[in-house]
Amino acid sequence: MRIPAMTTVRWWDVAVGGSLLLMGVLAASDTYRYGHELGRIGALATLAAIGVGYLWFGRRAIDCPSGRAAQSGMAATAFRGVLIVGVGVAAAFNPSLATLQAIAFPLLWTLTDSFLVSVVLSALLAASAAAGLWLGIGGTASALGQAFATEGISFVFAIAMGAWITRIARDGNTQRRLYEELSVAQDELAALHRDAGSAAERERLSREIHDTIAQSLTSLVMLAQRAGNELGPDSGARPTVELIEDTARQALTEARTLVAAMSPVRVGDSTLAETLRRLAARFERETGIQVLVSVSAPGLDGLDRLDRENEVVLLRCAQEGLANVRKHSRAGAASVRLERVGTDAVLTVTDDGRGLGAYAPAHENGFGLSGMRDRLALVGGGLTVGAGERGGTVLRVTVPAAGADDARTSVESVRGER
């Protein structure tokens, strides 16, 4: 198992470079076999080969990005072979160079993900070093026992150290994964707190507008009506009073539209279809505009529902769509339809009003449709607004619904209750 702290390539540059340099100084100043010059040249050439193998294969294997696993695997295999053979050959030229296994064992464990493979490679390295050491110290029977006893002890310590480091790495990976999961959970919790705070603030503003501005405008309308009744039909001030009354009524309609758009519709344990029906019923009571709610969406209503975030987005879009019907359409009837189309949930709000007029998406202003587009963009959804086939306006909202169960179909057509 690879260890994150040990796979930093700069760390290994220093460790491998320093070890090879130290072994090179040792080899240059001491020869043990094959004659003075032959032993020195052979040892230095072997160390150079290991260094080139590290630069060409080992460094690439350690530093290779996770997306290039195939290249990393080939480079690691090549360098492991160079390392195992090189340590044995170096020890044959100079027994002191068997010390290279102190850096070779950790390198093998670092370049291998499997514990069992690491053990096998460590055994091969120990055998190679033992063979080289045996040849370096004379090649006799007694030298054979000495070499393999030394390397046997080295192998046991290498396995013990590797197992310990592997356990540390596994625990570290587990802790890192738990930390990442905790960070994600904290981010989600923070987002929920922000959403809850935003909803609470919207509700507070809705109450404040209803209790102050809307009530004041209602009083202004009543006062204007009273003043008009008190004035004679031929009074010169009557047109002005009627204009005041009409303006106050328009402002009151705007305030009530704003209150309706900002007021929360509780989803709770209800399905999205039930919440849409309650929204339509309240809208119909407040405006007198007949609203038909239709749900034909497999898996979107009942046990297998949309993601809660997408449900809230669809609900807010339905609120905004009906708010536009109240404010702009002068309609006598409207409809809200929720359906499943492929992997998407589609919400359609239509009315029989005066239509779009000169509307164009580029001319959107304020927080209505443009705000709806922004909200949908956050969940990968989309919005289209167009004219109906028989007049009026059609607002179509699409959000992803992948993962819903296609096996269950719920078809409901409910008329909003007065």
Side-chain angles (χ1 to χ4, degrees):
M1 176 175 291
R2 298 194 182 196
I3 309 162
M6 296 287 287
T7 55
T8 303
V9 71
R10 293 183 179 178
W11 189 97
W12 282 115
D13 288 345
V14 174
V16 174
S19 299
L20 292 177
L21 180 62
L22 182 61
M23 293 297 102
V25 172
L26 181 63
S29 61
D30 179 36
T31 55
Y32 189 85
R33 188 172 169 81
Y34 299 119
H36 182 75
E37 290 300 324
L38 180 61
R40 177 184 298 174
I41 293 173
L44 291 176
T46 303
L47 293 175
I50 294 174
V52 171
Y54 171 76
L55 292 175
W56 191 255
F57 298 113
R59 199 174 192 277
R60 187 188 311 174
I62 294 172
D63 198 36
C64 191
S66 58
R68 298 166 58 189
Q71 296 182 24
S72 175
M74 291 186 293
T77 300
F79 181 61
R80 287 193 294 253
V82 170
L83 195 61
I84 291 172
V85 174
V87 170
V89 173
F93 282 113
N94 190 328
S96 299
L97 298 188
T99 311
L100 274 175
Q101 61 191 312
I103 193 70
F105 279 120
L107 273 170
L108 290 179
W109 283 82
T110 297
L111 294 172
T112 307
D113 293 322
S114 169
F115 179 83
L116 181 60
V117 173
S118 297
V119 172
V120 172
L121 291 175
S122 296
L124 292 176
L125 176 62
S128 175
L133 186 60
W134 172 61
L135 292 175
I137 60 178
T140 63
S142 60
L144 179 64
Q146 180 182 350
F148 277 91
T150 300
E151 291 307 318
I153 295 173
S154 298
F155 173 70
V156 170
F157 274 100
I159 297 302
M161 182 65 69
W164 178 61
I165 294 176
T166 298
R167 180 176 179 180
I168 293 175
R170 184 181 295 113
D171 292 343
N173 290 334
T174 300
Q175 292 177 4
R176 184 173 65 254
R177 186 180 66 254
L178 292 174
Y179 174 77
E180 292 172 352
E181 292 175 355
L182 178 61
S183 298
V184 171
Q186 288 176 334
D187 291 341
E188 292 176 351
L189 182 61
L192 290 174
H193 281 307
R194 287 194 299 270
D195 291 343
S198 176
E201 182 64 13
R202 288 169 63 94
E203 187 174 2
R204 186 190 69 81
L205 289 175
S206 174
R207 288 196 304 267
E208 293 293 334
I209 293 173
H210 178 271
D211 295 342
T212 57
I213 298 176
Q215 295 298 335
S216 298
L217 290 172
T218 300
S219 300
L220 183 58
V221 170
M222 296 175 64
L223 289 173
Q225 290 176 334
R226 178 179 175 182
N229 293 332
E230 292 177 352
L231 292 173
D234 299 328
S235 174
R238 189 174 186 83
T240 301
V241 173
E242 291 177 348
L243 179 61
I244 292 173
E245 180 183 349
D246 184 60
T247 302
R249 286 185 183 277
Q250 292 181 11
L252 180 59
T253 300
E254 295 280 351
R256 286 174 174 171
T257 300
L258 185 59
V259 169
M262 297 179 69
S263 297
V265 177
R266 307 294 182 188
V267 177
D269 295 328
S270 303
T271 65
L272 180 59
E274 293 169 347
T275 308
L276 289 174
R277 288 198 296 272
R278 291 203 304 271
L279 175 64
R282 190 177 73 182
F283 179 84
E284 195 168 330
R285 287 195 304 270
E286 293 175 353
T287 64
I289 299 175
Q290 186 180 79
V291 181
L292 180 70
V293 177
S294 176
V295 176
S296 177
L300 299 184
D301 189 25
L303 296 177
D304 299 308
R305 288 190 246 164
L306 280 169
D307 180 83
R308 178 63 65 177
E309 182 180 5
N310 287 357
E311 283 191 345
V312 172
V313 169
L314 287 176
L315 180 58
R316 281 298 179 191
C317 290
Q319 284 182 292
E320 184 62 36
L322 290 177
N324 287 334
V325 172
R326 178 202 302 257
K327 185 175 179 181
H328 303 295
S329 70
R330 298 180 183 175
S335 68
V336 177
R337 178 178 177 82
L338 178 65
E339 57 187 332
R340 174 80 177 271
V341 179
T343 59
D344 294 329
V346 179
L347 176 75
T348 306
V349 180
T350 61
D351 64 69
D352 62 356
R354 59 182 180 177
L356 292 171
Y359 164 80
H363 300 153
E364 289 178 4
N365 51 42
F367 298 97
L369 295 177
S370 60
M372 198 185 305
R373 291 185 191 279
D374 293 340
R375 182 186 290 270
L376 287 165
L378 294 176
V379 296
L383 170 69
T384 58
V385 182
E389 295 180 358
R390 300 180 182 179
T393 304
V394 178
L395 182 146
R396 193 169 189 263
V397 172
T398 304
V399 298
D405 184 4
D406 289 331
R408 186 177 182 272
T409 303
S410 172
V411 179
E412 296 182 32
S413 181
V414 183
R415 188 175 178 176
E417 300 178 1
R418 292 182 181 273

